[in-house]
Amino acid sequence: MIAVKPVFNLLFGKQNWLFSFEDKLLKVMSSVPCTDMVRAILMENGVLCEELT
C-alpha cells in the first residue's frame, strides 16, 4: 500500500480511502465510479483485487 498511497491521496483525498490490513479490505469513497481505475492502479503494483458489492 506504500506504493499506491500517494496516488490514492491525490485522486481521492486522504480521508476518502482506507485499507484494513487485518481484513485485507480497501474502502474508497468517491462520487464518481472508480472501480476500474482503482483496480488498474492496484494491478500495476502487483495487487490482485475484486470488488465487493
Side-chain angles (χ1 to χ4, degrees):
M1 294 312 298
I2 292 171
V4 299
K5 182 178 180 178
V7 177
F8 283 179
N9 285 344
L10 180 66
L11 292 173
F12 306 113
K14 292 180 182 181
Q15 303 299 318
N16 294 321
W17 69 277
L18 173 68
F19 182 74
S20 169
F21 284 96
E22 183 177 308
D23 300 324
K24 297 182 183 176
L25 292 174
L26 171 66
K27 182 177 182 179
V28 176
M29 285 73 64
S30 176
S31 61
V32 296
C34 62
T35 304
D36 292 336
M37 180 174 41
V38 169
R39 184 179 293 128
I41 293 167
L42 292 174
M43 289 183 75
E44 286 176 4
N45 288 277
V47 178
L48 297 176
C49 64
E50 63 183 68
E51 180 181 17
L52 299 177
T53 55

